[in-house]
Amino acid sequence: MRRRLNAGSLLLGLASLLSVGIGQEEETAAPVDASLFKKDFDNCGRALFYTSLDPTTATKADFALIVKSQHRNVLNEEGVYQALIELDQTKGNPGTVDTIYSNQSMVARGYGKTDTWTRERLWPMTRGAVGGYASTDIHNNRPEETRITSIKREMLFGKCGTVEFADVCVRPAFTLGPSSTEQDGKIWLPPADKRGDIARALFYMQLRYGDEELDLRLTDCPPFNGKMAYLSQLLEWHADDPVDDNEFNRNTNACRYWQGNRNPFVDYPDLVAKFYGQPQAIEPNTRTYQSCLNVPTQAPTAEQNECSLLQPGDIFLLRIEIPGGLELYMTDNPWTGISFASVEGVIKLTVPSGGYKAGETFGFGPDLGKDQKWVREEGEFNIGTMGDSIFLYCHLGDSSIRPLVGYTNSNEWAKPGLDLEDYGSTLSALPDELKDVGSIALPHLDNYKYEGPDVAEKKDLQKYMMDPTNWRGNDDGLGDQGGSQMAATHWSAMLVSLFVAVAGYTLL
């Protein structure tokens, strides 16, 4: 039986079963044979690798050519994990890996889950490191706790006060993190003993992929779409945290057994200043580097993209055009006040090329059309029966998050800044952008239907949507929809989390 929405109704359903396969528990996998991915390249010693050039006179283009031409093995995702297990093994403790941000030694098996570790791309895909070569490049990948990667996300590397005012800084950057870490929601400062390693990995990425293929760039100047920052910070980190034996040996083993090329900035540290210059200072009484003073856009603004066309609260009920190509994300992870924690999961929908027309219904569930294909982005998106919080968001041009909708049926929004265990799997804080528009907090029931006014000015409609008295809910399904009686089992199977751009609303 085809399910329809009455004009003027917006439905949200919560259930424990997820019929489309996202969030299912996976069986424990058998150990993977790392030899399936390993190679044995014979020219990976430093002297042999650079025999075709003179390191003292070679140009940046010369080094770029050799690292690109010698990239002889492209790993798949499983291959990356197997490489990290060997390359980043805790010294003297086989079966464990060292993490790049939290400085923890973690059990190597069980990777890729929300409560274990995953691979962290130091140069994120959202900042241009896309494609089979760049996204799996072993010089760019490191192990990290999954919960930490969900906090770090696409933040730029630097120190607090570079973009935001220093009084919003969080130290350490995450609960129980190293004391030398900090972050302010846009800038991420890693542990002091890992900063040089990270800087040299990013210099390598720019060298390897800074051509017409991906045009990766390092800069101090916004906008940062397709770029990584802050170059001056990375130059300082390179000098303050020089290459040690562990980093040098990792470089050799990455070349010999896994990828076939080396990172020249680990082998010849003086190349950094030669190719990237000296660090700049921030102009007094500003948050702008001196080299950026004549750049037209001095503030950390983003280049326009599809997400820029939407504002918080727009995708709640309003008749608006949803542009094709927009990537929408839905998560049941809690908002901590700074970012989404990695407790549960994230799914993604890429809006079809034709877009969604004003008033067209779309959402999440098996009966909403074949073009509405949500895919798992990370973790396990699995809505709970004891209450949950759901958010819809997109990424702006600088990869920052723009919250669009917030919904909870856990009675109220929690306070920001709690420990992760206090949020659990049901509670969440509310992003500031959604405090006045685009959110609703309801008592715990499995299903809700909006029954408030549907003809009003935009600001009034948004106000009505945030009023709990305009919602009817129960645990047994919502009854007659489009002339058909639905049982509670239908609602469990449908599992509609959010309907957006619902037909029938009229703006005066």
Side-chain angles (χ1 to χ4, degrees):
M1 184 178 297
R2 189 169 180 82
R3 298 164 174 81
R4 298 180 182 275
L5 286 179
N6 287 337
S9 66
L10 180 142
L11 308 174
L12 298 98
L14 299 177
S16 59
L17 301 177
L18 190 56
S19 62
V20 293
I22 299 175
Q24 302 294 327
E25 290 292 333
E26 299 177 358
E27 296 182 359
T28 302
V32 177
D33 184 359
S35 66
L36 296 174
F37 307 95
K38 293 184 71 172
K39 304 293 181 181
D40 191 3
F41 298 110
D42 59 4
N43 64 332
C44 278
R46 179 170 60 179
L48 288 174
F49 186 77
Y50 299 103
T51 52
S52 64
L53 53 76
D54 180 353
T56 62
T57 59
T59 66
K60 186 178 180 182
D62 294 332
F63 277 99
L65 178 61
I66 194 171
V67 297
K68 187 172 184 177
S69 64
Q70 295 299 298
H71 193 157
R72 291 166 280 178
N73 185 35
V74 182
L75 296 166
N76 62 17
E77 184 171 4
E78 184 59 48
V80 171
Y81 278 112
Q82 296 305 313
L84 294 178
I85 289 172
E86 291 202 8
L87 294 174
D88 297 294
Q89 174 182 300
T90 305
K91 189 174 183 179
N93 193 7
T96 62
V97 293
D98 281 334
T99 57
I100 190 70
Y101 301 140
S102 55
N103 266 349
Q104 298 291 316
S105 178
M106 302 190 70
V107 175
R109 285 198 60 187
Y111 50 82
K113 298 181 179 179
T114 56
D115 58 349
T116 59
W117 65 276
T118 188
R119 60 184 181 119
E120 164 71 350
R121 297 178 181 91
L122 300 177
W123 195 307
M125 293 179 67
T126 52
R127 295 197 180 277
V130 297
Y133 281 85
S135 66
T136 63
D137 196 308
I138 202 61
H139 295 294
N140 187 48
N141 281 262
R142 297 292 193 279
E144 186 49 69
E145 293 181 66
T146 305
R147 71 178 183 95
I148 306 305
T149 62
S150 71
I151 300 172
K152 161 62 173 62
R153 294 186 179 271
E154 300 86 6
M155 291 188 205
L156 302 170
F157 287 110
K159 59 185 178 182
C160 287
T162 308
V163 175
E164 297 287 355
F165 289 105
D167 58 2
V168 302
C169 190
V170 176
R171 299 184 182 92
F174 46 91
T175 304
L176 302 180
S179 59
S180 60
T181 63
E182 62 185 32
Q183 55 104 347
D184 59 16
K186 294 183 179 179
I187 301 295
W188 183 269
L189 183 67
D193 63 342
K194 299 295 178 63
R195 294 173 194 167
D197 304 57
I198 292 171
R200 286 179 285 275
L202 296 182
F203 291 134
Y204 161 87
M205 288 294 288
Q206 197 286 317
L207 178 76
R208 168 67 178 84
Y209 303 100
D211 54 14
E212 295 180 358
E213 179 182 356
L214 294 179
D215 193 26
L216 298 189
R217 286 177 283 171
L218 293 168
T219 184
D220 288 326
C221 308
F224 297 119
N225 192 25
K227 306 175 188 177
M228 271 300 286
Y230 281 87
L231 173 60
S232 290
Q233 293 289 302
L234 300 176
L235 291 168
E236 291 180 8
W237 295 356
H238 169 67
D240 295 341
D241 178 30
V243 177
D244 58 20
D245 289 343
N246 287 337
E247 187 179 3
F248 184 84
N249 292 335
R250 186 189 195 279
N251 196 28
T252 299
N253 292 330
C255 177
R256 179 173 180 180
Y257 298 114
W258 299 101
Q259 192 160 286
N261 67 352
R262 297 181 68 95
N263 180 346
F265 303 107
V266 174
D267 296 327
Y268 302 101
D270 290 346
L271 294 176
V272 170
K274 180 179 179 180
F275 296 157
Y276 296 101
Q278 298 298 320
Q280 301 291 309
I282 294 178
E283 187 70 10
N285 302 316
T286 75
R287 297 195 303 280
T288 303
Y289 279 93
Q290 292 174 345
S291 59
C292 308
L293 290 176
N294 295 322
V295 176
T297 303
Q298 295 180 15
T301 56
E303 293 180 359
Q304 296 291 302
N305 63 0
E306 293 87 354
C307 183
S308 308
L309 303 175
L310 302 175
Q311 296 297 320
D314 276 359
I315 302 190
F316 211 158
L317 74 165
L318 305 179
R319 295 178 65 107
I320 58 173
E321 300 285 337
I322 308 298
L326 172 66
E327 293 182 339
L328 290 171
Y329 298 83
M330 189 185 298
T331 183
D332 54 348
N333 284 323
W335 179 261
T336 65
I338 296 176
S339 62
F340 288 113
S342 181
V343 176
E344 300 194 54
V346 180
I347 55 178
K348 180 177 75 172
L349 170 69
T350 301
V351 178
S353 58
Y356 293 130
K357 304 304 180 184
E360 183 177 355
T361 299
F362 78 97
F364 173 57
D367 290 354
L368 295 177
K370 294 182 179 180
D371 63 340
Q372 296 181 28
K373 296 180 180 178
W374 293 88
V375 297
R376 178 160 59 183
E377 182 74 4
E378 63 179 55
E380 298 176 356
F381 183 88
N382 197 357
I383 302 171
T385 58
M386 302 305 293
D388 216 329
S389 301
I390 303 170
F391 296 93
L392 194 74
Y393 63 92
C394 56
H395 286 288
L396 294 167
D398 63 355
S399 300
S400 62
I401 287 174
R402 170 161 286 178
L404 299 171
V405 177
Y407 166 86
T408 184
N409 69 341
S410 299
N411 296 302
E412 61 183 3
W413 298 106
K415 295 180 180 179
L418 302 180
D419 292 335
L420 287 184
E421 55 266 26
D422 293 329
Y423 290 114
S425 61
T426 60
L427 301 179
S428 173
L430 182 67
D432 289 341
E433 296 91 333
L434 298 177
K435 288 183 177 179
D436 296 322
V437 64
S439 65
I440 181 67
L442 297 166
H444 176 243
L445 292 172
D446 282 348
N447 307 289
Y448 276 96
K449 172 186 175 183
Y450 176 74
E451 293 188 337
D454 57 12
V455 178
E457 293 185 0
K458 175 179 177 179
K459 63 179 181 179
D460 292 327
L461 277 175
Q462 291 174 326
K463 180 179 66 175
Y464 297 147
M465 288 293 298
M466 296 181 70
D467 184 352
T469 64
N470 288 325
W471 295 78
R472 177 173 67 88
N474 58 40
D475 292 323
D476 301 316
L478 296 179
D480 186 13
Q481 302 297 327
S484 64
Q485 186 72 24
M486 294 185 187
T489 54
H490 284 166
W491 285 102
S492 295
M494 191 174 183
L495 213 122
V496 180
S497 300
L498 290 170
F499 280 108
V500 292
V502 178
Y505 286 92
T506 303
L507 299 181
L508 299 180

